[in-house]
Amino acid sequence: AIARETLQFHFQNEIPSALKVAMYGKDVEEVEQFKQDALENGDILIVDENVDVPGEEQLGSTVVKELMAAGYDGFACIRSGNSEDADIELSLASGAHWHVGKEV
């Protein structure tokens, strides 16, 4: 919860012209809401590779792939604690424009 709040705070302060900054991922329903909102209004997506929500484990690369197939045309970034070549290739193969390690 603290990491989510900190990230949201920094986005709102560093990009004051952003119309909306939203955080998702506390549960399965919120992940589904994220997908819908991304398709309807998303311009920039930063998705964690390991989406650990109660009741279901999803990969961010799978979520991004679904969104791209459904017509998402904004910028997508996958954030991961793993930045080996295979991890980066998986992110880019999903349609993400950038893979960034958590060490950044």
Side-chain angles (χ1 to χ4, degrees), residues 25-97:
K26 71 177 182 179
D27 55 35
V28 174
E29 292 78 22
E30 204 173 83
V31 173
E32 292 305 314
Q33 185 65 51
F34 163 75
K35 292 176 188 178
Q36 180 179 341
D37 290 348
L39 288 170
E40 294 174 3
N41 301 307
D43 293 314
I44 299 172
L45 307 178
I46 300 173
V47 182
D48 199 273
E49 177 59 6
N50 294 298
V51 183
D52 294 323
V53 294
E56 188 172 332
E57 188 174 311
Q58 297 185 29
L59 293 178
S61 53
T62 302
V63 172
V64 169
K65 189 173 187 173
E66 288 175 21
L67 290 170
M68 293 299 187
Y72 176 75
D73 63 355
F75 181 86
C77 170
I78 294 182
R79 184 172 181 262
S80 178
N82 301 315
S83 293
E84 299 295 324
D85 289 344
D87 302 302
I88 295 168
E89 289 173 19
L90 179 64
S91 293
L92 298 178
S94 74
H97 300 90

Side-chain angles (χ1 to χ4, degrees), residues 6-17 21:
T6 300
L7 189 59
Q8 186 166 6
F9 172 81
H10 284 291
F11 273 128
Q12 290 170 334
N13 284 318
E14 297 296 324
I15 311 172
S17 62
V21 175

